[in-house]
Amino acid sequence: MTEKKRSIGVTIFAYWNIVIGIIGVLAFITSSGFIIFIAPLMIITGFGLLKLKEWARKFEIFLVILDYFSKWAIVFIISKNIKIIGWYPYQTRHIISLLIMIITIYFFMRPKVKEQFQ
């Protein structure tokens, strides 16, 4: 049986998930209030990506979408409770989050990347 070859991009995403997941578990404080629930899933997904598991590729896409929309939910909760919308910092944050989501989805949907997970 031939061993699968993992690309540098997949390796970076995998270790990123593991590191951010560990920080989230240890710190309990991040920009997203949902991180305490997502952090253990990020660690598991990171190890799945290192082993080139197809479920990890799909779950990575799910996690980045969940993270993006959880940030929007937090903005609406804060703006409703405080009655003040400090919109400019949130615009930059959401543009960056949107770009990260698009890049992640694009990366993991590319045929050459999908091929690694089969």
Side-chain angles (χ1 to χ4, degrees):
M1 183 165 112
T2 59
E3 191 171 322
K4 297 178 185 179
K5 182 156 173 65
R6 183 177 61 238
S7 70
I8 293 172
V10 172
T11 304
I12 290 169
F13 274 103
Y15 283 118
W16 177 257
N17 274 338
I18 293 167
V19 168
I20 296 301
I22 290 170
I23 290 170
V25 167
L26 295 176
F28 294 97
I29 301 170
T30 64
S31 61
S32 175
F34 298 107
I35 195 70
I36 192 59
F37 302 110
I38 294 175
L41 298 175
M42 289 179 73
I43 295 168
I44 293 166
T45 303
F47 283 111
L49 289 172
L50 287 175
K51 294 181 180 184
L52 296 174
K53 300 293 184 184
E54 175 65 11
W55 62 264
R57 184 187 71 82
K58 291 177 181 176
F59 204 70
E60 174 67 11
I61 293 168
F62 170 76
L63 284 176
V64 76
I65 292 169
L66 180 65
D67 180 60
Y68 177 74
F69 286 108
S70 72
K71 284 182 174 85
W72 274 106
I74 289 168
V75 167
F76 287 120
I77 291 167
I78 289 171
S79 66
K80 211 173 200 182
N81 290 337
I82 299 176
K83 304 285 184 205
I84 298 171
I85 301 175
W87 188 242
Y88 294 112
Y90 289 113
Q91 282 181 332
T92 304
R93 184 186 208 177
H94 288 295
I95 290 169
I96 292 169
S97 292
L98 178 63
L99 288 173
I100 290 170
M101 181 179 73
I102 290 169
I103 290 167
T104 303
I105 292 170
Y106 172 76
F107 179 81
F108 281 103
M109 294 302 290
R110 290 178 32 223
K112 287 192 178 215
V113 173
K114 282 177 151 181
E115 198 175 276
Q116 296 174 55
F117 289 89
Q118 295 181 8

